[in-house]
Amino acid sequence: MNEHELRRLIGDVKVGKLSRRGFAQRMLAVGLTAPMATQLLAVSGVAHAQPKSQYKPTKRGGGGLLKVLWWQGPTLLNPHFAVGTKDQDGSRIFYEPLAAWDPDGNLKPKLAASIPGREDGTLAADGKSLVWKLKQGVTWHDGRPFTADDVVFNWEYAKDPGTAAVTSGSYKDIMVEKVDQYSVRVKFAKPTPFWADAFVGTRGMMIPKHLFADFIGGKSREAPTNLKPVGTGAYMFKDFKPGDLVSGVINPKYHQDNKPYFDAIEMKGGGDAVSAARAVLQSGEYDYAWNMQVEDEILSRLEKGGKGKVVISPGGNIEHIQLNNTDPWTEVDGERSSIKTKHPTLSDPAVRRALSLLVDKASVEKHIYGRTGIATANFINNPKRFVSTTTKYEFNIDKAIDILEKAGWKKGADGIREKDGKKLKYLYQTSINQPRQKNQAIVKQACQKAGIEVELKSVTASVFFSSDISNPDTYPHFYADLQMYNNGPQQPDPAVFLRQFCSWEVASKANKWQGRNITRWQNKEYDDIYNAAQKEIDPVKRAAMMIKMNDMVVNDHVVIPVVARPIVTAVSNKLTCELSGWDNNTWDLANWFREA
């Protein structure tokens, strides 16, 4: 589809000759997903669709206790420090962004009165600025009003290097100014095709200025409210036991009429995914369980208990293996995996290529994940518009051996390959979870046959995904050679997700390991392409840049994609909740209710 035809179709939508649904169907036919079709219409001046609500209750409260299970319990409740999904989801119980992403990739107002658009002039035609109009009458849980000052403060807080916020990448390159008490202007230094990053979704949760203003920069970790949130959400803070329990009670002054339905919420942490699945699907003790990283055979068997169902929501998550580009065993200035070092053996492209051939992705899909994890060669697997068609994956032990032999890695007396006194011996870590341990075992067995020794390390999930900057076993520290986990873009555009490979995002002691580049890979060409993509308005050219970035990290074996994982949850048959693969699990918590 050329630019002329695309503009004609957008024009037809504007004048009513073509429905939004019809436009999306045309875009699907050429590989563009519904979420990105929505963004094209928004940029072109077509108002966002407002989905109809499925909410049925006619009064606030009366629903009793909502019991949910996150088998990796939150460890803090400040969204700007939330390095893992569990902390993001826990924070979202109390905090809200200006807007959220629904299942179809549409922006849905939360603290905003409306979504910026060309039709009312709040989205600039040149792509260099926008105005957020805020919902009036919203109060923080302590009764103070929510205003533009809070929005500006969140920008100042997140962009300050001393704060060391994990959200800093969304805020450091923009300018935000107060227009009036209930509107703010966001300015970009260059045309920005995907403007819905700052203040939106996972990275957009608002914290109150009056409680955090004294804890910006270097004092950020000292704020009492890091553990006792005061937000604008449907539930108010009651209690928090890190890694164990988050509890909240109904907000009687919530800014949406007749919401929420439940009188209280308990988010229980700990345990494992199988027991969490059983508690919803079989016993019915809980209403909802997060992240069903459970073998598909077990999930299918538990569903027969009749109390709940497995819900699979399309998204962009990827279970992958990271290769450390730095030396985790050498300490420099009190820091291991320092960018001042390079890995003694993984810096050899031949070794990385061999390792990629020793990951049996097809077996991982067939014997572990089934419908919940699809073998893939790509880091970006959704939306389809950004999926590379040139990458391939292969499991071939003989080819891996041949590559290592030709690169001079010969077997020693102990059967382990070595070269120049360096052996191919690796520590491979991940979180404790049965599918992951089976996945590790599959890789170890293949590596052993190829003459590579792999030591497996399994870290308790609450530790591995902790936001504790003093714990060396967290995944951002990456004090191992290889590590595996799952993450994904929590928005229908991969730009922010791909930022995790940019040089300036390197996790280090200096930024309290809050940088999102965990592999410590640095490549100027990649950085340049990323920066160019951030100002490319042409959707076709921009998509090509995203695909190029995917191909670079895949073909250079910065990471080894294993399986693409949709969002898999266990939901009680009586619970009605809308889940989105593009936002937090708790993105729409105010609208959850229980059927009679």
Side-chain angles (χ1 to χ4, degrees):
M1 179 177 292
N2 59 36
E3 183 179 357
H4 176 75
E5 186 176 0
L6 179 61
R7 293 188 185 281
R8 180 182 62 78
L9 290 175
I10 292 173
D12 287 347
V13 177
K14 284 183 177 180
V15 299
K17 290 175 61 178
L18 179 65
S19 69
R20 295 178 66 97
R21 180 181 295 273
F23 178 80
Q25 289 173 340
R26 297 281 186 92
M27 296 301 99
L28 286 169
V30 294
L32 189 69
T33 63
M36 293 314 298
T38 297
Q39 287 299 294
L40 272 178
L41 291 176
V43 170
S44 301
V46 181
H48 277 270
Q50 294 304 318
K52 293 182 179 179
S53 174
Q54 298 180 347
Y55 191 72
K56 294 180 181 178
T58 56
K59 68 171 185 175
R60 177 173 291 147
L65 177 65
L66 173 64
K67 297 180 67 177
V68 297
L69 267 175
W70 261 247
W71 51 274
Q72 295 171 16
T75 54
L76 56 73
L77 297 173
N78 182 332
H80 290 290
F81 298 149
V83 298
T85 304
K86 58 184 177 46
D87 295 328
Q88 295 164 358
D89 290 349
S91 297
R92 195 68 169 264
I93 294 175
F94 310 105
Y95 294 116
E96 298 175 296
L98 298 190
W101 294 106
D102 77 3
D104 295 323
N106 295 307
L107 279 172
K108 185 174 182 179
K110 290 294 183 180
L111 292 175
S114 58
I115 302 301
R118 293 277 298 282
E119 69 282 356
D120 66 355
T122 53
L123 183 62
D126 63 4
K128 296 179 70 173
S129 69
L130 61 97
V131 172
W132 282 104
K133 293 182 178 180
L134 309 182
K135 190 173 184 179
Q136 300 186 29
V138 178
T139 60
W140 297 100
H141 292 155
D142 61 4
R144 296 281 290 269
F146 165 73
T147 70
D149 292 324
D150 293 299
V151 180
V152 174
F153 170 74
N154 274 262
W155 164 64
E156 294 172 337
Y157 180 90
K159 76 180 180 69
D160 188 323
T163 302
V166 72
T167 54
S168 64
S170 299
Y171 295 92
K172 65 182 181 64
D173 295 326
I174 63 174
M175 291 291 294
V176 180
E177 62 184 21
K178 177 180 176 180
V179 177
D180 56 43
Q181 194 75 344
Y182 293 105
S183 57
V184 297
R185 179 175 288 107
V186 179
K187 295 181 178 180
F188 306 101
K190 55 199 173 189
T192 302
F194 187 76
W195 47 264
D197 179 17
F199 308 124
V200 172
T202 299
R203 283 165 287 277
M205 286 179 261
M206 296 285 106
I207 61 175
K209 176 181 179 179
H210 65 280
L211 294 177
F212 283 93
D214 292 335
F215 299 96
I216 195 169
K219 298 176 66 177
S220 62
R221 298 281 168 169
E222 301 171 18
T225 327
N226 287 340
L227 300 177
K228 296 180 179 180
V230 176
T232 60
Y235 297 96
M236 302 168 62
F237 177 78
K238 179 182 178 182
D239 193 23
F240 178 40
K241 296 180 177 61
D244 178 27
L245 183 71
V246 180
S247 59
V249 296
I250 193 170
N251 178 2
K253 296 182 179 179
Y254 186 55
H255 56 87
Q256 293 187 42
D257 294 338
N258 303 324
K259 298 173 185 178
Y261 165 78
F262 293 101
D263 300 304
I265 181 173
E266 286 184 359
M267 174 186 279
K268 178 66 178 173
D272 57 68
V274 175
S275 61
R278 186 177 293 114
V280 175
L281 303 175
Q282 194 173 66
S283 72
E285 181 184 357
Y286 282 82
D287 299 293
Y288 178 93
W290 159 84
N291 190 13
M292 293 294 93
Q293 190 168 4
V294 178
E295 292 168 70
D296 197 23
E297 177 190 359
I298 295 174
L299 286 177
S300 297
R301 189 166 67 246
L302 290 174
E303 279 184 295
K304 294 178 182 177
K307 296 293 181 65
K309 56 187 177 292
V310 171
V311 176
I312 299 177
S313 307
N317 285 1
I318 177 71
E319 188 84 6
H320 65 287
I321 299 169
Q322 296 179 335
L323 284 66
N324 201 334
N325 279 260
T326 57
D327 187 349
W329 312 114
T330 297
E331 187 172 298
V332 178
D333 299 328
E335 178 181 10
R336 289 161 54 189
S337 291
S338 167
I339 56 171
K340 296 177 182 178
T341 67
K342 70 175 184 177
H343 198 283
T345 59
L346 291 178
S347 55
D348 185 341
V351 175
R352 297 198 302 271
R353 169 64 177 147
L355 283 170
S356 73
L357 291 164
L358 297 171
V359 180
D360 190 355
K361 304 177 185 184
S363 290
V364 172
E365 175 187 337
K366 180 178 180 181
H367 299 295
I368 301 176
Y369 287 99
R371 59 188 162 148
T372 69
I374 310 304
T376 180
N378 288 311
F379 196 68
I380 300 297
N381 292 278
N382 201 16
K384 186 179 178 182
R385 184 76 179 93
F386 300 103
V387 179
S388 174
T389 58
T390 61
T391 53
K392 302 284 188 261
Y393 71 85
E394 179 182 9
F395 174 62
N396 193 321
I397 295 175
D398 291 337
K399 184 181 286 189
I401 290 172
D402 184 58
I403 289 171
L404 293 172
E405 284 284 341
K406 288 179 178 177
W409 294 95
K410 306 295 183 181
K411 279 190 176 182
D414 55 3
I416 302 171
R417 294 187 181 276
E418 58 182 285
K419 178 182 177 182
D420 300 329
K422 300 172 183 176
K423 289 181 175 289
L424 298 186
K425 298 176 67 173
Y426 300 119
L427 178 64
Y428 176 21
Q429 69 179 16
T430 188
S431 63
I432 294 177
N433 172 270
Q434 190 172 15
R436 286 200 170 123
Q437 269 67 78
K438 288 192 173 184
N439 197 339
Q440 278 184 310
I442 289 173
V443 174
K444 177 175 181 174
Q445 184 179 44
C447 285
Q448 192 171 26
K449 292 178 180 178
I452 300 173
E453 181 178 299
V454 175
E455 177 187 348
L456 302 181
K457 179 179 179 180
S458 302
V459 182
T460 302
S462 60
V463 173
F464 190 68
F465 295 107
S466 171
S467 301
D468 182 0
I469 60 174
S470 64
N471 195 321
D473 281 333
T474 66
Y475 78 91
H477 281 78
F478 199 0
Y479 288 174
D481 304 290
L482 311 168
Q483 70 178 3
M484 174 177 59
Y485 60 94
N486 171 70
N487 67 349
Q490 291 179 308
Q491 52 190 198
D493 183 278
V496 174
F497 187 51
L498 286 168
R499 193 161 62 214
Q500 68 185 277
F501 300 109
C502 291
S503 299
W504 57 86
E505 283 283 345
V506 164
S508 66
K509 182 180 179 181
N511 60 31
K512 299 182 175 67
W513 292 278
Q514 297 296 290
R516 295 176 57 237
N517 185 342
I518 310 300
T519 65
R520 279 77 160 172
W521 179 69
Q522 298 182 82
N523 184 294
K524 184 180 184 302
E525 181 186 2
Y526 185 95
D527 292 348
D528 291 343
I529 295 173
Y530 180 87
N531 285 327
Q534 291 305 91
K535 61 183 179 182
E536 180 54 68
I537 296 295
D538 186 311
V540 177
K541 291 180 181 178
R542 187 166 181 272
M545 292 175 177
M546 301 291 181
I547 291 171
K548 172 66 173 176
M549 287 186 280
N550 171 89
D551 290 357
M552 288 181 72
V553 297
V554 168
N555 293 332
D556 199 28
H557 313 295
V558 181
V559 293
I560 303 173
V562 183
V563 290
R565 289 180 53 202
I567 307 299
V568 183
T569 52
V571 181
S572 164
N573 287 332
K574 295 182 179 180
L575 181 67
T576 295
C577 60
E578 188 170 55
L579 305 174
S580 172
W582 306 113
D583 211 319
N584 291 103
N585 291 268
T586 46
W587 79 280
D588 202 37
L589 192 59
N591 287 299
W592 289 20
F593 66 94
R594 188 182 289 125
E595 296 279 4

